[in-house]
Amino acid sequence: MTFGRLPSLERRTRSTASTDTGDTRLGRAIATRVAEHPKESGVYPLRDAQEAFAARITLAKAAERSLDVQYYIWHADITGTLLFEALREAAARGVRVRLLLDDNNTAGLDPILAALNSHPNIEVRLFNPFAVRKPRVIGYLTDFSRLNRRMHNKSFTADNQATIVGGRNVGDEYFGATNGVLFTDLDVLAVGPVVNDVSDSFDRYWASGSSYSVDGLLPAVPPAGLAQLEAAAEEIRRSSAAVAYTNALRKSSIVSELVAGSVELEWARTQMLSDDPAKGLGLAPPETLVFFKLRETLGDASTRLELVSPYFVPTVSGVAWLTKQAKRGVAIQVLTNSLEATDVAVVHAGYAKRRKAVLEAGIILYELKRTAAKLVDRRARRRNLQNRLGSSGASLHAKTFAADGARVFVGSFNFDPRSAALNTEMGFVIQSAPLARPG
């Protein structure tokens, strides 16, 4: 490729989600219950970090036809390497694997991604990639408008039968596998009609003008590249840290129940919201964006609105919208990170300057402390929003908004300007009182 230029998109292969998958192991496991709940999807909240990792590994191992995987961040640490290896193992069984990663956080992953892409059953694409791989700052200096727009979506779909959507990226801090900073997060495992919607969204991103095959971006790796990945995964499996973690995974009931079809699911009408991938190029019409769809959905709240967002940065218009809802009589509560808990201090600065205006509107603010689940207001002891998220961690990362104790959004959208205008986002709106109620 020419230095500083992206390759042509004309030679990309064309592919779409697998549709003839009802006879797969996953398809057979859920067929009866899906038939019993027409127009509803079965959802299972993944609050526990280790269970969330186990669910992804289980889907990768259970897949027989396809794996469509889309993430903003993927680290080459314990969990990231094991999931990379799970994709490679699936491909070795004949499963078609499509991996779409945002390129903003792939520094150091080029050899691994090129090795995976060398497998005939795996294709890797990067969203809004850096044409100059090192130093990446050159890209920001020469192509800032495009590279400032990132794909923040997160989904993991097996055989077009089961999917995981939510707030977690792939890395040890998201799956409770490190002694360092841990993120309190939330995903949803889903089966039923909404899975097709996730697959359709993946296809749109896969074929978008921002998705480039690594063939034209990364240098080819020697044939031993895949073997090196396998060896790295095996070395991690033998490490003391990984042994302790994988032993804990074996105790997770999700591993056996998912494939057996006995997972206790909440059946509810579930709508997938996903930005038009053209947002990655600044070309998406405003009415197609998750931000507007969410405001439309949550703006119908009549009694109660609860927002959980790690990067809560209400702009002037955001404060005005929240104030309007409060004046209508809607009781609003917000849980976000305190300054000591946030991993992005500059984002907290954007929140802090709006905090007084939000409080003056009668909105209750809770802030998560870094070392424990202590909240700013003692009233939180009576209505602890964090209970929905499982055990406390060093930093909040979940994004979930609930209206009237009847419907809840779980996804990648932060209540901040980047999610609204720059990054692409996705998530589920679930019509379920049990999932929408706090505690």
Side-chain angles (χ1 to χ4, degrees):
M1 59 177 287
T2 304
F3 181 82
R5 292 185 182 180
L6 294 171
S8 170
L9 294 175
E10 293 180 0
R11 296 184 180 180
R12 283 188 310 185
T13 59
R14 295 184 180 183
S15 60
T16 56
S18 301
T19 56
D20 56 339
T21 58
D23 61 341
T24 61
R25 182 165 36 163
L26 285 170
R28 294 191 301 271
I30 65 173
T32 300
R33 286 191 291 172
V34 169
E36 291 172 348
H37 298 86
K39 298 183 180 179
E40 292 183 329
S41 295
V43 296
Y44 179 92
L46 294 166
R47 300 180 178 93
D48 180 79
Q50 293 185 356
E51 186 175 54
F53 177 73
R56 288 165 170 82
I57 287 288
T58 300
L59 288 185
K61 290 182 178 297
E64 295 177 349
R65 305 282 175 76
S66 64
L67 284 169
D68 290 335
V69 181
Q70 180 178 16
Y71 280 96
Y72 173 61
I73 293 173
W74 194 306
H75 294 315
D77 49 16
I78 292 174
T79 56
T81 300
L82 293 178
L83 274 169
F84 274 142
E85 176 62 3
L87 299 184
R88 187 204 64 78
E89 289 175 346
R93 298 195 309 269
V95 176
R96 184 197 67 182
V97 177
R98 296 188 295 176
L99 175 61
L100 177 59
L101 297 181
D102 184 82
D103 197 33
N104 195 49
N105 297 284
T106 60
L109 291 183
D110 285 4
I112 295 175
L113 299 180
L116 287 169
N117 192 69
S118 69
H119 193 288
N121 289 332
I122 302 177
E123 184 175 359
V124 181
R125 292 185 182 179
L126 298 176
F127 190 90
N128 273 354
F130 289 77
V132 179
R133 308 307 292 172
K134 290 183 181 180
R136 293 194 175 198
V137 67
I138 292 177
Y140 278 117
L141 293 174
T142 60
D143 196 7
F144 180 78
S145 178
R146 181 182 66 87
L147 294 177
N148 191 40
R149 295 178 175 272
R150 308 312 322 175
M151 183 191 75
H152 198 232
N153 308 39
K154 302 130 170 62
S155 67
F156 196 108
T157 306
D159 287 342
N160 198 20
Q161 293 291 330
T163 190
I164 297 172
V165 167
R168 287 185 179 92
N169 294 296
V170 175
D172 291 352
E173 62 268 41
Y174 302 97
F175 296 124
T178 175
N179 293 323
V181 174
L182 295 174
F183 288 121
T184 298
D185 221 322
L186 181 64
D187 296 317
V188 172
L189 168 68
V191 301
V194 77
V195 180
N196 288 321
D197 298 333
V198 174
S199 292
D200 288 345
S201 174
F202 183 94
D203 284 347
R204 291 194 297 273
Y205 276 81
W206 188 252
S208 75
S210 292
S211 296
Y212 289 77
S213 172
V214 299
D215 275 340
L217 290 166
L218 310 182
V221 296
L226 278 173
Q228 291 171 357
L229 173 60
E230 186 176 3
E234 183 58 32
E235 183 177 352
I236 284 178
R237 288 193 187 101
R238 290 196 301 265
S239 69
S240 58
V243 167
Y245 185 66
T246 53
N247 284 342
L249 291 182
R250 293 190 184 99
K251 300 177 183 178
S252 172
S253 61
I254 193 74
V255 176
S256 57
E257 292 177 0
L258 180 61
V259 177
S262 59
V263 174
E264 192 172 324
L265 300 169
E266 170 76 8
W267 291 91
R269 289 184 178 269
T270 303
Q271 177 187 4
M272 190 210 67
L273 303 183
S274 177
D275 279 325
D276 183 336
K279 185 181 181 184
L281 296 174
L283 301 175
E287 64 272 13
T288 68
L289 302 183
V290 166
F291 174 65
F292 288 89
K293 297 173 185 175
L294 258 181
R295 283 183 59 168
E296 189 176 287
T297 301
L298 299 178
D300 290 335
S302 57
T303 61
R304 190 164 77 242
L305 184 60
E306 295 159 321
L307 308 180
V308 177
S309 178
Y311 313 119
F312 178 66
V313 187
T315 59
V316 172
S317 62
V319 172
W321 180 78
L322 289 169
T323 301
K324 180 180 178 181
Q325 307 310 310
K327 287 181 177 179
R328 287 200 299 113
V330 179
I332 303 175
Q333 301 179 83
V334 179
L335 171 63
T336 191
N337 278 314
S338 63
L339 176 59
E340 67 175 5
T342 187
D343 62 322
V344 186
V346 68
V347 171
H348 189 274
Y351 152 70
K353 68 181 181 181
R354 308 288 182 204
R355 184 163 44 195
K356 183 178 179 181
V358 171
L359 291 170
E360 288 177 345
I363 295 165
I364 298 175
L365 288 177
Y366 302 144
E367 293 184 358
L368 187 73
K369 297 293 185 181
R370 182 180 183 87
T371 56
K374 296 178 182 178
L375 304 179
V376 168
D377 197 308
R378 289 185 179 179
R379 285 167 293 183
R381 294 178 184 176
R382 298 195 299 270
R383 293 179 57 80
N384 189 344
L385 293 180
Q386 195 197 6
N387 285 345
R388 179 162 53 234
L389 308 177
S391 59
S392 64
S395 183
L396 180 69
H397 195 260
K399 310 97 168 52
T400 175
F401 317 135
D404 296 333
R407 56 193 180 278
V408 61
F409 171 84
V410 178
S412 67
F413 186 91
N414 291 300
F415 204 99
D416 72 349
R418 286 206 65 86
S419 284
L422 295 172
N423 294 348
T424 68
E425 308 287 354
M426 71 182 297
F428 292 156
V429 175
I430 306 167
Q431 305 288 333
S432 167
L435 293 182
R437 286 195 299 262

